[in-house]
């Protein structure tokens, strides 16, 4: 009816000439209305002057004036028409991903609500009955969704509106009879609870994302640090080898100059001898010519007068023993190489001092673990010294304690990064030092080697040093170290031992694969009737000594 009323109202405002809504409506004397432009043009082209609707003729051309009442009504109609058109334009066709109206027969408009009773989705126009009709107002409306059939109970054909927490499933009102003694809640309540869980999960996921972003940043920073370290190492390596090359070139030039100087001296000496010999030859040739000439002289008086002076020939040098000996180059190259070796040794000492300073930056505070100490070991109160005693203490045989070998571990464990500590071994004839993994055997006889979880060096018989590799490596250390530094790079798989006082590398285990915690390992060995009674002492690392 509303639509019909609108059509009738529109007919009242249509010009019978242009068949469109009036523009500047005017009235003729007979009472009919036309657009001012339409009736004027009609009378200009058609005569006599009469009404186009009723054909009433007028004696003269009527004076036309705009009918203000009709104009106001037309303006009002135009405003209502524009408002209606605007309202209708708000209802747009459903886009991909939007729920379409199930009732529209033409273009499917976007649905505003879905009815859980009718199992249909409605646009604004088709939703109106559900908002106005008393019977339809009772239907349950919800935000538009597709596949409404999936929201119905397949068994009872009722809406799924409850949640069984016992079975963790959605049910209708009739399903309650089949779920005796189960706990039910409305879908909204359960949904709100699940939303809370999802929000918590979302927060946890965001936290995990943030952690991973931070880890990415950390890794990138590590790469940058590694790149900077590589650059410094390259620069340092280039500088060192350039210095070695310059030193070698300098020594080579000195060697070549020394050989050249000797050769030039020998040649100069030979040239001097040759000059003297040639001068004497010239004098002798002159003497020979005079002697020959005098021997042919027939003037007896003149011969006798000259004979005496020619007979006394000028003294000449005896050249029999004169020799030009080639220079001796024996040992020249050897001395140059020895000097180069001495320079390289000094350079290596400086490099090792710098290396010691670098690794000492990773110094850690290590103390001895009394729970792991063999019963015959005596630890100082500060946990820094250990020695072997003659008496066995009464201590509990806990799993951490060494029961056969006189050994002890440090209290501190390390599972990443780098660490360094120093141990004084002065005055001892036997000892073991290094690191051990957490799962080592502590109850039986121990073989120190990486395969068994030990990375150590050791001293036996006062001067026999060994690296306890899978095949023992004999070390030539003269003199032996008084203080041993132990350095570990967990990720690099490196365990190195240093003579801390001499800043010299003793031995390195490389290519190790660490998967467990590492503990500092100490064994002062048996005291050997007092010959090996000196303790092992964990010393503070003092970089100022370097």
């Amino acid at each position: 009816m509303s639509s019909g009323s609108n059509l009738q109202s529109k007919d009242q405002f249509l010009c019978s000439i242009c068949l469109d809504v009036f523009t500047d409506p005017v009235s003729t004397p007979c009472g009919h209305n036309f657009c001012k432009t339409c009736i004027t043009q009609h009378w200009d082209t058609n005569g006599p002057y009469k009404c186009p609707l009723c054909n009433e003729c007028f004696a003269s051309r009527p004076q036309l004036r705009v009918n203000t009442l009709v104009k106001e009504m037309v303006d009002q109609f135009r405003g209502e028409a524009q408002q209606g058109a605007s309202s209708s334009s708000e209802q747009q066709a459903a886009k991909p991903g939007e729920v379409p109206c199930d009732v529209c027969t033409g273009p499917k408009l976007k649905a505003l609500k879905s009815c859980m009773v009718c199992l249909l989705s409605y646009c604004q126009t088709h939703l109106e009955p559900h908002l106005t009709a008393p019977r339809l107002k009772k239907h349950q409306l919800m935000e538009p969704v597709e596949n409404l059939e999936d929201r119905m109970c397949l068994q009872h054909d009722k809406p799924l509106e409850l949640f069984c927490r016992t079975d963790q499933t959605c049910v209708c009102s009739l399903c309650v009879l089949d779920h005796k003694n189960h706990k039910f809640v409305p879908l909204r309540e359960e949904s709100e609870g699940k939303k809370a869980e999802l929000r918590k999960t979302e927060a946890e996921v965001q936290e995990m994302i943030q952690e991973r972003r931070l880890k990415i940043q950390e890794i990138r920073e590590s790469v940058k640090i590694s790149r900077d370290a590589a650059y410094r190492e390259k620069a340092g390596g280039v500088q060192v080898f350039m210095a070695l090359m310059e030193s070698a070139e300098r020594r080579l030039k000195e060697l070549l100059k020394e050989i050249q100087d000797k050769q030039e001296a020998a040649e100069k000496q030979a040239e001097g001898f040759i000059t003297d010999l040639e001068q004497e030859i010239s004098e002798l040739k002159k003497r020979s010519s005079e002697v020959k000439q005098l021997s042919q002289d027939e003037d007896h008086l003149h011969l006798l007068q000259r004979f005496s002076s020619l007979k006394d020939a000028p003294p000449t040098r005896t050249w029999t023993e004169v020799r030009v000996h080639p220079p001796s180059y024996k040992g020249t190259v050897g001395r140059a190489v020895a000097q180069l070796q001495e320079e390289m040794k000094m350079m290596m000492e400086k490099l090792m001092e710098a290396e010691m300073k670098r690794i000492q930056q990773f110094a850690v505070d290590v103390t001895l673990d009394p729970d792991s100490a063999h019963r015959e070991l005596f630890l100082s109160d500060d946990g820094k010294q250990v020695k072997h005693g003659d008496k066995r203490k009464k201590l509990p045989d806990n799993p951490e304690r060494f029961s056969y070998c006189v050994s002890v571990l440090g209290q501190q464990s390390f599972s990443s990064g780098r660490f360094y500590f120093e141990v004084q071994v002065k005055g001892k004839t036997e000892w073991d030092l290094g690191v051990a993994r957490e799962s080592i055997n502590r109850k039986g006889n121990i073989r120190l080697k990486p395969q068994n979880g030990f990375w150590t060096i050791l001293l036996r018989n006062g001067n026999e040093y060994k690296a306890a590799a899978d095949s023992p490596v004999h070390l030539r250390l003269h003199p032996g170290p008084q203080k041993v530094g132990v350095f570990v790079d967990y990720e690099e798989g490196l365990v190195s031992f240093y003579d801390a006082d001499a800043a010299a590398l003793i031995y390195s285990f490389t290519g190790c694969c660490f998967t467990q915690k590492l503990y500092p390992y100490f064994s002062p060995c048996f005291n050997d009737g007092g010959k090996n009674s000196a303790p092992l002492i964990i010393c503070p690392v003092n970089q100022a000594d370097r």
Side-chain angles (χ1 to χ4, degrees), residues 277-513:
L277 285 169
E278 288 178 344
Q279 184 176 355
E280 290 189 6
I281 289 173
S282 177
E283 293 177 354
L284 289 173
K285 283 182 177 181
K286 181 180 179 182
R287 170 69 63 177
S288 174
S289 176
E290 291 177 351
V291 170
K292 183 177 180 180
Q293 183 179 1
L294 184 61
S295 65
Q296 296 175 356
D297 193 348
E298 295 298 331
D299 186 347
H300 303 294
L301 176 62
H302 182 263
L303 185 149
L304 292 174
Q305 290 175 341
R306 292 283 296 161
F307 178 81
S308 181
S309 61
L310 289 175
K311 185 178 180 180
D312 297 332
T316 58
R317 182 176 178 180
T318 302
W319 293 91
T320 306
E321 301 299 329
V322 174
R323 297 285 188 276
V324 176
H325 298 284
S328 175
Y329 301 113
K330 186 177 181 180
T332 304
V333 176
R335 286 193 301 273
V337 172
Q339 291 173 342
L340 180 60
Q341 287 179 332
E342 186 64 25
E343 289 185 7
M344 293 180 64
K345 181 181 177 182
M346 294 174 62
M347 192 174 296
M348 285 298 298
E349 289 176 353
K350 291 181 179 179
L351 287 174
M352 284 306 304
E353 288 180 1
E355 176 70 7
M356 286 297 296
K357 287 183 179 180
R358 186 184 68 84
I359 65 174
Q360 284 178 336
Q361 296 176 359
F362 302 99
V364 294
D365 184 19
V366 175
T367 53
L368 301 170
D369 180 14
D371 292 335
S372 67
H374 186 275
R375 291 171 178 165
E376 294 180 7
L377 293 182
F378 288 82
L379 278 59
S380 62
D381 293 338
D382 61 0
K384 297 293 185 179
Q385 301 185 28
V386 58
K387 64 180 180 180
H388 178 254
D390 294 325
K391 296 182 180 180
R392 180 178 287 247
K393 294 180 287 185
K394 293 183 179 180
L395 297 172
D397 188 18
N398 50 285
E400 295 81 11
R401 192 178 306 283
F402 289 93
S403 62
Y404 186 84
C405 296
V406 287
S407 305
V408 60
L409 297 179
Q411 285 187 326
Q412 293 74 23
S413 65
F414 305 90
S415 56
S416 64
R418 304 164 183 170
F419 62 95
Y420 174 81
F421 60 94
E422 293 180 350
V423 182
Q424 179 179 304
V425 296
K426 183 178 179 180
K428 295 193 65 62
T429 58
E430 294 189 355
W431 47 259
D432 305 335
L433 279 178
V435 293
R437 67 182 177 216
E438 186 176 24
S439 62
I440 55 172
N441 174 28
R442 309 185 191 198
K443 298 304 179 183
N445 188 18
I446 295 175
R447 292 192 63 186
L448 299 178
K449 57 182 181 178
Q451 184 178 350
N452 295 335
F454 296 88
W455 293 266
T456 61
I457 61 172
L458 52 90
L459 169 65
R460 296 291 184 267
N461 301 321
N463 59 3
E464 297 177 7
Y465 295 91
K466 295 180 182 179
D470 292 330
S471 296
V473 179
H474 292 272
L475 306 173
R476 296 184 178 180
L477 304 178
H478 301 289
Q482 301 294 298
K483 187 188 297 182
V484 177
V486 182
F487 173 70
V488 177
D489 188 328
Y490 194 97
E491 283 75 19
E492 189 70 19
L494 173 70
V495 182
S496 295
F497 298 86
Y498 295 86
D499 183 333
D501 294 325
L505 177 66
I506 297 175
Y507 186 80
S508 287
F509 291 92
T510 59
C512 309
C513 183

Side-chain angles (χ1 to χ4, degrees), residues 243-266:
L244 289 173
M245 292 168 62
E246 290 174 0
S247 180
E249 289 177 358
R250 185 176 63 256
R251 288 299 175 186
L252 176 60
K253 289 179 180 179
E254 293 175 355
L255 171 64
L256 296 178
K257 186 176 184 303
E258 181 181 353
I259 295 173
Q260 184 67 24
D261 289 346
K262 288 184 177 181
Q263 176 63 22
E264 289 178 356

Side-chain angles (χ1 to χ4, degrees), residues 33-49:
N33 298 308
F34 303 95
C35 294
K36 184 178 181 180
T37 302
C38 292
I39 190 64
T40 300
Q41 290 178 351
H42 177 74
W43 284 343
D44 287 343
T45 57
N46 299 293
Y49 304 118

